Amino acid sequence: MQTREEKIARLMKYGGEGYTHIFKLDEEFPEVGLFGPDCIGADTGAGWENLVRPVLAVMSKHGYKMGQLKAKFCILRVYCYAPAGVTDIARAEVSAVIAAAEDISSRTCEYCGTPSNENPGLDMSGVRLCAACRSKR
């Protein structure tokens, strides 16, 4: 199992400056454990930062830990662990915020955050992009 420092070093090696938003979110919500022992990865584009922040806030509020944060099939995916004794109300709140963020991500550019109803393309990149970001790629 990788340590927090090893996980951060890996992100810096392969993505560098492209992951500053993940580091910022980790500093804002350290108790969620984006780089903790239970999280196997935290990897999304900067355009989804404003979708991820409320997810981390509600997870923090109810003591949840991050399992994985990623894009899958051009949609944000959040896998998390509930603490022992979590109430049904807390579980429902966390689930609702995650579902909303995942839904909105399906229409939001992962790089810049602008609305993007476009087909993500057939290049199997798994990244939802607006026309402007796609042209830069």
Side-chain angles (χ1 to χ4, degrees), residues 44-45 47-52 55 69-78 97-111 113-118 120 126-130:
T44 65
W48 288 352
E49 179 180 349
N50 289 330
L51 299 178
V52 173
V55 169
L69 178 68
K70 67 179 186 175
K72 183 173 183 180
F73 304 119
C74 302
I75 297 173
L76 176 68
R77 294 290 186 224
V78 179
V97 172
I98 290 172
E102 289 177 346
D103 178 57
I104 294 167
S105 74
S106 71
R107 300 179 307 277
T108 304
C109 177
E110 190 175 348
Y111 285 3
T114 61
S116 172
N117 290 320
E118 299 173 16
V127 180
R128 168 92 44 203
L129 298 174
C130 64

Short mmCIF file of all heavy atoms in Angstrom, two decimals, residues 44-45 47-52 55 69-78 97-111 113-118 120 126-130:
data_model
loop_
_atom_site.label_atom_id
_atom_site.label_comp_id
_atom_site.label_asym_id
_atom_site.label_seq_id
_atom_site.Cartn_x
_atom_site.Cartn_y
_atom_site.Cartn_z
N THR A 44 -9.18 13.61 -11.07
CA THR A 44 -10.19 14.24 -11.94
C THR A 44 -9.61 15.53 -12.47
O THR A 44 -8.67 16.08 -11.93
CB THR A 44 -11.50 14.57 -11.19
OG1 THR A 44 -11.23 15.55 -10.19
CG2 THR A 44 -12.11 13.34 -10.56
N GLY A 45 -10.22 16.03 -13.54
CA GLY A 45 -9.78 17.29 -14.11
C GLY A 45 -10.19 18.48 -13.26
O GLY A 45 -11.15 18.41 -12.47
N GLY A 47 -11.75 21.07 -14.02
CA GLY A 47 -13.08 21.58 -14.31
C GLY A 47 -14.16 21.02 -13.41
O GLY A 47 -15.24 21.60 -13.28
N TRP A 48 -13.89 19.91 -12.77
CA TRP A 48 -14.86 19.30 -11.86
C TRP A 48 -14.62 19.66 -10.40
O TRP A 48 -15.31 19.16 -9.52
CB TRP A 48 -14.87 17.79 -12.04
CG TRP A 48 -15.50 17.33 -13.31
CD1 TRP A 48 -16.18 18.09 -14.24
CD2 TRP A 48 -15.54 15.99 -13.80
NE1 TRP A 48 -16.61 17.30 -15.27
CE2 TRP A 48 -16.24 16.00 -15.02
CE3 TRP A 48 -15.04 14.78 -13.32
CZ2 TRP A 48 -16.45 14.85 -15.77
CZ3 TRP A 48 -15.26 13.65 -14.07
CH2 TRP A 48 -15.95 13.68 -15.28
N GLU A 49 -13.67 20.52 -10.14
CA GLU A 49 -13.37 20.91 -8.75
C GLU A 49 -14.61 21.40 -8.02
O GLU A 49 -14.85 21.03 -6.86
CB GLU A 49 -12.28 21.98 -8.71
CG GLU A 49 -11.92 22.44 -7.32
CD GLU A 49 -10.84 23.51 -7.30
OE1 GLU A 49 -10.21 23.78 -8.35
OE2 GLU A 49 -10.63 24.09 -6.22
N ASN A 50 -15.43 22.22 -8.67
CA ASN A 50 -16.63 22.76 -8.01
C ASN A 50 -17.73 21.71 -7.85
O ASN A 50 -18.69 21.94 -7.11
CB ASN A 50 -17.14 23.98 -8.77
CG ASN A 50 -16.22 25.16 -8.60
OD1 ASN A 50 -15.55 25.30 -7.58
ND2 ASN A 50 -16.17 26.01 -9.60
N LEU A 51 -17.62 20.59 -8.52
CA LEU A 51 -18.53 19.47 -8.30
C LEU A 51 -18.04 18.60 -7.15
O LEU A 51 -18.84 18.06 -6.38
CB LEU A 51 -18.66 18.62 -9.57
CG LEU A 51 -19.19 19.31 -10.81
CD1 LEU A 51 -19.19 18.34 -11.98
CD2 LEU A 51 -20.59 19.84 -10.56
N VAL A 52 -16.74 18.47 -7.04
CA VAL A 52 -16.14 17.61 -6.02
C VAL A 52 -16.21 18.26 -4.63
O VAL A 52 -16.43 17.58 -3.63
CB VAL A 52 -14.69 17.25 -6.39
CG1 VAL A 52 -13.99 16.51 -5.27
CG2 VAL A 52 -14.67 16.42 -7.68
N VAL A 55 -19.20 17.46 -2.48
CA VAL A 55 -19.15 16.03 -2.13
C VAL A 55 -18.22 15.84 -0.93
O VAL A 55 -18.58 15.18 0.05
CB VAL A 55 -18.67 15.17 -3.33
CG1 VAL A 55 -18.37 13.75 -2.89
CG2 VAL A 55 -19.71 15.19 -4.43
N LEU A 69 -11.74 8.54 -6.27
CA LEU A 69 -12.34 9.68 -6.96
C LEU A 69 -11.77 9.68 -8.37
O LEU A 69 -10.55 9.77 -8.54
CB LEU A 69 -11.98 10.99 -6.24
CG LEU A 69 -12.46 12.29 -6.84
CD1 LEU A 69 -13.97 12.40 -6.72
CD2 LEU A 69 -11.80 13.47 -6.16
N LYS A 70 -12.65 9.51 -9.37
CA LYS A 70 -12.13 9.39 -10.73
C LYS A 70 -13.21 9.71 -11.75
O LYS A 70 -14.37 9.90 -11.42
CB LYS A 70 -11.61 7.98 -10.98
CG LYS A 70 -12.70 6.91 -10.99
CD LYS A 70 -12.09 5.55 -11.26
CE LYS A 70 -13.15 4.48 -11.42
NZ LYS A 70 -12.57 3.21 -11.80
N ALA A 71 -12.79 9.74 -13.01
CA ALA A 71 -13.71 9.82 -14.13
C ALA A 71 -13.81 8.42 -14.74
O ALA A 71 -12.80 7.75 -14.94
CB ALA A 71 -13.20 10.80 -15.17
N LYS A 72 -15.03 7.99 -14.99
CA LYS A 72 -15.24 6.70 -15.64
C LYS A 72 -16.37 6.87 -16.64
O LYS A 72 -17.46 7.34 -16.27
CB LYS A 72 -15.60 5.64 -14.61
CG LYS A 72 -15.75 4.25 -15.19
CD LYS A 72 -15.94 3.24 -14.07
CE LYS A 72 -16.02 1.84 -14.64
NZ LYS A 72 -16.21 0.86 -13.56
N PHE A 73 -16.11 6.52 -17.89
CA PHE A 73 -17.09 6.71 -18.96
C PHE A 73 -17.54 8.17 -19.03
O PHE A 73 -18.72 8.46 -19.19
CB PHE A 73 -18.28 5.76 -18.81
CG PHE A 73 -17.90 4.32 -18.76
CD1 PHE A 73 -18.18 3.56 -17.65
CD2 PHE A 73 -17.23 3.74 -19.82
CE1 PHE A 73 -17.82 2.22 -17.59
CE2 PHE A 73 -16.86 2.40 -19.77
CZ PHE A 73 -17.16 1.63 -18.67
N CYS A 74 -16.60 9.08 -18.87
CA CYS A 74 -16.82 10.53 -18.97
C CYS A 74 -17.71 11.09 -17.87
O CYS A 74 -18.31 12.15 -18.03
CB CYS A 74 -17.40 10.90 -20.33
SG CYS A 74 -16.37 10.39 -21.71
N ILE A 75 -17.83 10.39 -16.78
CA ILE A 75 -18.66 10.84 -15.66
C ILE A 75 -17.85 10.72 -14.36
O ILE A 75 -17.10 9.76 -14.18
CB ILE A 75 -19.94 9.99 -15.56
CG1 ILE A 75 -20.80 10.18 -16.82
CG2 ILE A 75 -20.75 10.35 -14.32
CD1 ILE A 75 -22.00 9.27 -16.90
N LEU A 76 -18.02 11.68 -13.48
CA LEU A 76 -17.38 11.63 -12.17
C LEU A 76 -17.87 10.41 -11.41
O LEU A 76 -19.07 10.11 -11.40
CB LEU A 76 -17.74 12.90 -11.38
CG LEU A 76 -17.25 12.98 -9.94
CD1 LEU A 76 -15.73 13.10 -9.90
CD2 LEU A 76 -17.89 14.16 -9.23
N ARG A 77 -16.95 9.71 -10.77
CA ARG A 77 -17.30 8.57 -9.93
C ARG A 77 -16.66 8.78 -8.56
O ARG A 77 -15.49 9.10 -8.45
CB ARG A 77 -16.79 7.26 -10.52
CG ARG A 77 -17.46 6.89 -11.82
CD ARG A 77 -18.90 6.48 -11.58
NE ARG A 77 -19.47 6.01 -12.82
CZ ARG A 77 -20.66 6.33 -13.26
NH1 ARG A 77 -21.43 7.13 -12.57
NH2 ARG A 77 -21.10 5.87 -14.40
N VAL A 78 -17.48 8.59 -7.53
CA VAL A 78 -17.02 8.74 -6.15
C VAL A 78 -17.34 7.44 -5.41
O VAL A 78 -18.49 7.01 -5.37
CB VAL A 78 -17.74 9.92 -5.44
CG1 VAL A 78 -17.26 10.03 -4.00
CG2 VAL A 78 -17.51 11.22 -6.20
N VAL A 97 -25.85 13.99 -2.68
CA VAL A 97 -24.87 14.95 -3.16
C VAL A 97 -23.95 14.29 -4.19
O VAL A 97 -23.62 14.89 -5.23
CB VAL A 97 -24.06 15.55 -1.99
CG1 VAL A 97 -22.92 16.41 -2.48
CG2 VAL A 97 -24.98 16.38 -1.10
N ILE A 98 -23.55 13.05 -3.95
CA ILE A 98 -22.71 12.33 -4.92
C ILE A 98 -23.48 12.14 -6.23
O ILE A 98 -22.94 12.38 -7.31
CB ILE A 98 -22.23 10.98 -4.34
CG1 ILE A 98 -21.21 11.22 -3.23
CG2 ILE A 98 -21.63 10.10 -5.45
CD1 ILE A 98 -20.81 9.96 -2.47
N ALA A 99 -24.72 11.72 -6.15
CA ALA A 99 -25.53 11.49 -7.36
C ALA A 99 -25.68 12.78 -8.17
O ALA A 99 -25.59 12.76 -9.41
CB ALA A 99 -26.90 10.92 -6.99
N ALA A 100 -25.90 13.89 -7.48
CA ALA A 100 -26.04 15.18 -8.18
C ALA A 100 -24.74 15.56 -8.88
O ALA A 100 -24.75 16.00 -10.04
CB ALA A 100 -26.46 16.26 -7.20
N ALA A 101 -23.62 15.41 -8.19
CA ALA A 101 -22.32 15.74 -8.78
C ALA A 101 -22.02 14.85 -9.98
O ALA A 101 -21.54 15.32 -11.02
CB ALA A 101 -21.21 15.62 -7.74
N GLU A 102 -22.32 13.56 -9.86
CA GLU A 102 -22.10 12.65 -10.98
C GLU A 102 -22.97 13.03 -12.17
O GLU A 102 -22.51 13.03 -13.32
CB GLU A 102 -22.35 11.20 -10.54
CG GLU A 102 -21.28 10.68 -9.61
CD GLU A 102 -21.54 9.27 -9.09
OE1 GLU A 102 -22.67 8.75 -9.24
OE2 GLU A 102 -20.59 8.68 -8.54
N ASP A 103 -24.22 13.38 -11.91
CA ASP A 103 -25.14 13.77 -12.98
C ASP A 103 -24.65 15.04 -13.69
O ASP A 103 -24.58 15.09 -14.91
CB ASP A 103 -26.55 13.97 -12.42
CG ASP A 103 -27.52 14.42 -13.49
OD1 ASP A 103 -27.67 13.70 -14.50
OD2 ASP A 103 -28.14 15.49 -13.32
N ILE A 104 -24.30 16.05 -12.92
CA ILE A 104 -23.84 17.31 -13.51
C ILE A 104 -22.53 17.11 -14.28
O ILE A 104 -22.32 17.72 -15.32
CB ILE A 104 -23.69 18.40 -12.42
CG1 ILE A 104 -25.07 18.74 -11.83
CG2 ILE A 104 -23.02 19.65 -12.97
CD1 ILE A 104 -25.02 19.55 -10.56
N SER A 105 -21.68 16.22 -13.80
CA SER A 105 -20.40 15.98 -14.48
C SER A 105 -20.61 15.44 -15.89
O SER A 105 -19.77 15.67 -16.77
CB SER A 105 -19.53 15.01 -13.68
OG SER A 105 -20.00 13.68 -13.78
N SER A 106 -21.72 14.76 -16.12
CA SER A 106 -21.97 14.21 -17.45
C SER A 106 -22.26 15.30 -18.47
O SER A 106 -22.29 15.02 -19.67
CB SER A 106 -23.15 13.23 -17.40
OG SER A 106 -24.38 13.90 -17.21
N ARG A 107 -22.42 16.53 -18.00
CA ARG A 107 -22.68 17.67 -18.88
C ARG A 107 -21.70 18.82 -18.65
O ARG A 107 -21.98 19.97 -18.96
CB ARG A 107 -24.11 18.18 -18.66
CG ARG A 107 -25.19 17.15 -18.92
CD ARG A 107 -26.59 17.69 -18.67
NE ARG A 107 -26.81 18.29 -17.37
CZ ARG A 107 -27.09 17.60 -16.25
NH1 ARG A 107 -27.15 16.29 -16.28
NH2 ARG A 107 -27.30 18.23 -15.12
N THR A 108 -20.54 18.50 -18.05
CA THR A 108 -19.57 19.53 -17.68
C THR A 108 -18.18 19.14 -18.18
O THR A 108 -17.74 18.01 -17.97
CB THR A 108 -19.53 19.70 -16.15
OG1 THR A 108 -20.85 19.99 -15.68
CG2 THR A 108 -18.59 20.81 -15.74
N CYS A 109 -17.49 20.07 -18.80
CA CYS A 109 -16.12 19.82 -19.28
C CYS A 109 -15.22 19.53 -18.09
O CYS A 109 -15.17 20.30 -17.13
CB CYS A 109 -15.60 21.04 -20.05
SG CYS A 109 -13.89 20.87 -20.62
N GLU A 110 -14.50 18.43 -18.17
CA GLU A 110 -13.63 18.03 -17.06
C GLU A 110 -12.41 18.93 -16.94
O GLU A 110 -11.83 19.05 -15.87
CB GLU A 110 -13.17 16.58 -17.24
CG GLU A 110 -12.47 16.02 -16.03
CD GLU A 110 -12.11 14.55 -16.15
OE1 GLU A 110 -12.58 13.87 -17.08
OE2 GLU A 110 -11.33 14.09 -15.30
N TYR A 111 -12.02 19.61 -17.99
CA TYR A 111 -10.83 20.47 -17.95
C TYR A 111 -11.12 21.88 -17.47
O TYR A 111 -10.41 22.42 -16.65
CB TYR A 111 -10.17 20.53 -19.33
CG TYR A 111 -9.40 19.28 -19.71
CD1 TYR A 111 -9.36 18.15 -18.90
CD2 TYR A 111 -8.72 19.22 -20.90
CE1 TYR A 111 -8.67 17.02 -19.26
CE2 TYR A 111 -8.01 18.10 -21.29
CZ TYR A 111 -8.00 17.00 -20.47
OH TYR A 111 -7.30 15.87 -20.84
N GLY A 113 -14.63 23.20 -16.85
CA GLY A 113 -15.84 23.34 -16.06
C GLY A 113 -17.03 23.94 -16.77
O GLY A 113 -18.07 24.14 -16.16
N THR A 114 -16.92 24.24 -18.06
CA THR A 114 -18.07 24.79 -18.77
C THR A 114 -19.04 23.69 -19.18
O THR A 114 -18.64 22.53 -19.34
CB THR A 114 -17.63 25.57 -20.04
OG1 THR A 114 -16.95 24.67 -20.91
CG2 THR A 114 -16.74 26.74 -19.68
N PRO A 115 -20.31 24.04 -19.35
CA PRO A 115 -21.28 23.03 -19.79
C PRO A 115 -20.88 22.44 -21.13
O PRO A 115 -20.42 23.15 -22.02
CB PRO A 115 -22.59 23.81 -19.91
CG PRO A 115 -22.39 25.01 -19.05
CD PRO A 115 -20.93 25.33 -19.11
N SER A 116 -21.04 21.13 -21.25
CA SER A 116 -20.66 20.45 -22.49
C SER A 116 -21.60 19.28 -22.71
O SER A 116 -21.47 18.25 -22.06
CB SER A 116 -19.21 19.95 -22.40
OG SER A 116 -18.92 19.14 -23.51
N ASN A 117 -22.55 19.45 -23.61
CA ASN A 117 -23.47 18.37 -23.94
C ASN A 117 -22.97 17.55 -25.12
O ASN A 117 -23.66 16.69 -25.63
CB ASN A 117 -24.86 18.93 -24.26
CG ASN A 117 -25.51 19.47 -23.00
OD1 ASN A 117 -25.40 18.88 -21.94
ND2 ASN A 117 -26.17 20.60 -23.13
N GLU A 118 -21.76 17.84 -25.55
CA GLU A 118 -21.22 17.18 -26.72
C GLU A 118 -20.89 15.72 -26.44
O GLU A 118 -20.59 15.34 -25.31
CB GLU A 118 -19.95 17.88 -27.18
CG GLU A 118 -20.18 19.32 -27.56
CD GLU A 118 -18.88 20.03 -27.84
OE1 GLU A 118 -17.86 19.37 -28.04
OE2 GLU A 118 -18.91 21.25 -27.85
N PRO A 120 -18.54 12.83 -26.01
CA PRO A 120 -17.15 12.89 -25.58
C PRO A 120 -16.18 12.33 -26.60
O PRO A 120 -14.97 12.39 -26.42
CB PRO A 120 -17.14 12.06 -24.31
CG PRO A 120 -18.31 11.17 -24.42
CD PRO A 120 -19.34 11.93 -25.20
N GLY A 126 -12.03 8.81 -22.36
CA GLY A 126 -12.80 8.85 -21.13
C GLY A 126 -12.86 10.22 -20.50
O GLY A 126 -13.05 10.35 -19.30
N VAL A 127 -12.69 11.27 -21.30
CA VAL A 127 -12.69 12.64 -20.78
C VAL A 127 -13.82 13.42 -21.44
O VAL A 127 -13.94 13.45 -22.66
CB VAL A 127 -11.34 13.34 -21.05
CG1 VAL A 127 -11.35 14.76 -20.51
CG2 VAL A 127 -10.19 12.55 -20.44
N ARG A 128 -14.67 14.06 -20.62
CA ARG A 128 -15.75 14.91 -21.12
C ARG A 128 -15.15 16.29 -21.35
O ARG A 128 -14.65 16.92 -20.41
CB ARG A 128 -16.86 14.98 -20.09
CG ARG A 128 -17.89 16.01 -20.35
CD ARG A 128 -19.10 15.60 -21.12
NE ARG A 128 -19.66 14.34 -20.72
CZ ARG A 128 -20.42 13.61 -21.53
NH1 ARG A 128 -20.69 14.03 -22.73
NH2 ARG A 128 -20.90 12.46 -21.13
N LEU A 129 -15.18 16.77 -22.61
CA LEU A 129 -14.57 18.05 -22.95
C LEU A 129 -15.53 18.93 -23.73
O LEU A 129 -16.33 18.43 -24.52
CB LEU A 129 -13.32 17.84 -23.81
CG LEU A 129 -12.18 17.05 -23.19
CD1 LEU A 129 -11.09 16.81 -24.23
CD2 LEU A 129 -11.62 17.76 -21.98
N CYS A 130 -15.42 20.23 -23.51
CA CYS A 130 -16.15 21.19 -24.35
C CYS A 130 -15.39 21.31 -25.67
O CYS A 130 -14.26 20.82 -25.80
CB CYS A 130 -16.25 22.54 -23.64
SG CYS A 130 -14.67 23.36 -23.36
#
